[in-house]
Amino acid sequence: MIRLIATDVDGTIAADGSCEINPEYYTVIRKLRALGIQVAAASGRQKDSLLDLFAPVKEKIFYISNNGAGLGCWNRELYVQGMPPELIHELMADVAKLPDCQMILSGVDTCFYSPETEDWFIRYLREDYHFEALPLPENMEEIDLSGIVKIAVYHDPSDTEPHPAVPLIRKMEGRLSGMVSGREWVDFMAPGVSKGRALACLQESLQIGPEETMVFGDQMNDISMLQRAVHSFAVGGARPEVKAAAAHVTAPREEDGVLQIWKKLADNQGEYQGE
């Protein structure tokens, strides 16, 4: 029997940067929870954005936020992994040299943008993602750097060139965990941070094994999470590397591929009977 479902958000159950999902997800989540099946939303987003997205059922699920830097319930954190403060200034200086990039420093529920940030990007953070976005103070000592869990670098996804921040992943290797989080984002967290590591902690806490776990994703930052489940799914439209890492492929997000699997699971009382 399946006892835990973990799903990526952007590109998997929601359009990139959207705070809307098919309302049927809320109905199915209630059915799954009534069967004793736990549900976790795993995303590069801040937790406050996830709480908005899952508002009708926010008290019923777990949240893996900021690509695994945070794990918690709606009203408390189970753990938070901050970035090494001494590396934040170095990475910010490197990102500032990149062409056509925007940068945010994320806490669990709040993110900061630099004075150079363009207005359209601030609106994008607040209106599309529903982020709690604040201006970074001129004096960095006014914020607690130990509370920064992620630095995210945005680049226009319509540009066909590789994301300019990708080379920084190798530069920071061993000191920070860097990963591609969709076509527009490259994220940097503390060493070892990943969705898979957070999911492993949740599995251990709930005493749920990989054979009782079902995972859904579409991007490179989801692979570590897919590896924690026997029943792993890449959505149609996922990157080829993600499809290769998954045991199954669902219908595309636009056809609610993930929702179809969840509804079958609920109908079968938590028993997964294959596609």
Side-chain angles (χ1 to χ4, degrees), residues 73-92:
C73 307
W74 74 279
N75 61 346
R76 66 188 179 98
E77 297 305 310
L78 301 179
Y79 81 75
V80 175
Q81 179 63 62
M83 296 178 66
E86 67 274 11
L87 295 180
I88 291 176
H89 290 286
E90 177 183 345
L91 183 58
M92 288 179 64

Side-chain angles (χ1 to χ4, degrees), residues 123-181:
R123 290 195 300 272
Y124 177 59
L125 296 175
R126 292 174 174 170
E127 297 174 11
D128 289 35
Y129 280 103
H130 294 190
F131 281 1
E132 175 86 25
L134 302 173
L136 192 66
E138 290 186 17
N139 182 2
M140 289 279 287
E141 294 182 358
E142 294 180 18
I143 64 171
D144 181 8
L145 290 183
S146 66
I148 299 300
V149 300
K150 184 183 72 173
I151 292 181
V153 186
Y154 175 93
H155 184 248
D156 188 343
S158 65
D159 193 329
T160 56
E161 297 179 4
H163 196 297
V166 168
L168 293 180
I169 296 176
R170 175 169 294 184
K171 179 182 178 183
M172 303 304 294
E173 187 173 3
R175 297 189 292 160
L176 290 175
S177 177
M179 61 188 66
V180 176
S181 300

